[in-house]
Amino acid sequence: MKAVLSKETGGPETLVVEEVDAPTPGKGEVLIDVAACAINFPDTLIIRDMYQFKPPRPFAPGGEISGTIEALGEGVEGFAVGDKVICGVGNGGLQEKVAVAAARLFKVPEGIDLVQASALLMTYGTTIHGLKDRGDIKEGETVLILGAAGGVGLSAVELAKAYGCRVVAAVSTEEKGEVAKKAGADEVVIYPRAPFDKDQSKALAQAFKDAVGPDGADIVYDIVGGDYSEPALRSIAWEGRFLVVGFPAGIAKMPLNLTLLKSCDIRGVFWGAFTAREPERNNANIAELFDLWKAGKINPLISETYPIERAHEAIAKLENRGAIGKLVVTMD
């Protein structure tokens, strides 16, 4: 089978495609014939040894897959050969077959395309946990979303609208703003590229304040970090919740006096740890996502697909912040 391998530390250009032996499912595992592997920000980090998990080389990046069960290992119950599934694998998804613990699988309902399903788990799973479990989202609230045209950002736009909120989408280009509006955003803020000096930071804070309105944003969903975080925090509502989701623009240094002035919270959103610590709550969240999908309230956007031989291009485009929605590598 074909696999995309990281054999040395470096960027996407260091990845190679090679023929390797297909895995055999062990006890409690299934063998999945992979249909698609969605590309996510951790894929850009793990190949550079910058992620919190550092698998031994050679390894395949790729953290979330969809596919069809090809074989069952000993003791597997509740699944059958031929079932359509999605799962998070951490790494190893960019290969044609994957052996994974059955406990990590979610069945894909009839009528949902397998390639599109590969774009659901990490983005929407992160966001439903962030908005519901960490953000205590309520109908009628205002949600400011930074990086609103990426995979996670669009999931936040759709889910916040599904929960009856007003959404302000912050993006870097007019094109991305149109995508966010199409997903349901009520307002769009176009921000310049960082770094910002003091006056630029103040101007961005005012732009956020104008967009969210005089009462401020009840939830700030920060996928970007860096110089964008403080201006967003300055637009937060009294007792608002600032959700730290990611920081491709760098780790922000936040003035904590603002949390006192707004009596607001800064809360971390670590979906991966949540899935391990509270699997039943995560399972309920994923079931809710499929219900929302079938009801037409969410619809994962895949802007581009790549064959496995061009997987490095997908990772490079995401790393350079050029992606709109999700980028997906297909195996067929």
Side-chain angles (χ1 to χ4, degrees):
M1 70 171 188
K2 291 179 182 177
V4 178
L5 298 179
S6 174
K7 303 178 82 170
E8 59 181 292
T9 304
E13 72 283 354
T14 64
L15 297 172
V16 296
V17 179
E18 293 186 359
E19 289 287 335
V20 300
D21 293 336
T24 300
K27 185 175 181 179
E29 293 184 333
V30 303
L31 181 65
I32 297 175
D33 182 18
V34 178
C37 177
I39 303 302
N40 296 284
F41 187 62
D43 296 321
T44 71
L45 300 177
I46 198 168
I47 61 176
R48 295 181 182 274
D49 288 345
M50 296 172 63
Y51 198 51
Q52 50 260 54
F53 306 113
K54 295 178 174 62
R57 287 186 167 84
F59 69 88
E64 64 176 335
I65 62 172
S66 64
T68 305
I69 294 179
E70 185 174 289
L72 304 177
E74 179 187 349
V76 172
E77 298 179 351
F79 293 96
V81 171
D83 283 349
K84 310 295 185 184
V85 295
I86 57 173
C87 69
V89 292
N91 65 274
L94 280 171
Q95 52 190 38
E96 292 180 314
K97 298 183 190 297
V98 173
V100 62
R104 305 181 74 168
L105 303 180
F106 298 91
K107 291 183 181 179
V108 176
E110 289 294 326
I112 290 180
D113 176 71
L114 263 185
V115 173
Q116 194 178 15
S118 73
L120 178 78
L121 197 56
M122 188 170 289
T123 48
Y124 287 81
T126 295
T127 296
I128 194 170
H129 169 56
L131 293 180
K132 284 184 59 181
D133 302 323
R134 303 296 295 144
D136 300 321
I137 193 168
K138 302 175 185 66
E139 185 177 357
E141 292 189 319
T142 295
V143 181
L144 170 61
I145 301 164
L146 307 189
V152 179
L154 287 173
S155 73
V157 172
E158 289 190 331
L159 284 171
K161 292 303 295 182
Y163 293 138
C165 294
R166 178 172 173 267
V167 171
V168 176
V171 295
S172 60
T173 67
E174 294 285 351
E175 179 190 9
K176 291 179 178 180
E178 289 303 315
V179 172
K181 284 182 181 177
K182 189 174 181 181
D186 299 286
E187 302 283 345
V188 170
V189 175
I190 309 295
Y191 47 59
R193 183 172 287 274
F196 303 140
D197 60 26
K198 187 174 181 179
D199 288 340
Q200 290 170 318
S201 181
K202 185 176 179 180
L204 181 56
Q206 188 60 52
F208 287 152
K209 290 176 183 179
D210 292 343
V212 299
D215 293 332
D218 300 287
I219 294 175
V220 175
Y221 197 73
D222 184 7
I223 311 161
V224 180
D227 284 359
Y228 303 89
S229 298
E230 182 182 333
L233 181 61
R234 291 183 180 276
S235 73
I236 204 166
W238 177 257
E239 295 186 342
R241 289 85 70 200
F242 188 103
L243 303 180
V244 180
V245 186
F247 18 81
I251 298 174
K253 294 179 173 62
M254 302 292 268
L256 292 182
N257 63 302
L258 294 179
T259 64
L260 183 151
L261 294 173
K262 297 293 186 77
S263 193
C264 64
D265 297 342
I266 297 178
R267 304 179 183 180
V269 179
F270 190 176
W271 177 69
F274 168 74
T275 65
R277 290 170 177 268
E278 301 192 57
E280 291 185 3
R281 290 179 67 192
N282 181 61
N283 291 347
N285 283 349
I286 303 306
E288 181 178 342
L289 289 177
F290 278 125
D291 288 341
L292 289 168
W293 193 343
K294 288 186 288 185
K297 294 187 176 182
I298 65 172
N299 186 30
L301 172 65
I302 295 174
S303 59
E304 294 180 74
T305 60
Y306 298 75
I308 190 170
E309 292 82 5
R310 294 174 52 211
H312 65 285
E313 295 179 28
I315 295 175
K317 184 162 188 175
L318 185 66
E319 185 174 58
N320 293 327
R321 297 168 66 182
I324 293 176
K326 290 296 287 281
L327 307 178
V328 170
V329 174
T330 59
M331 304 299 161
D332 187 359

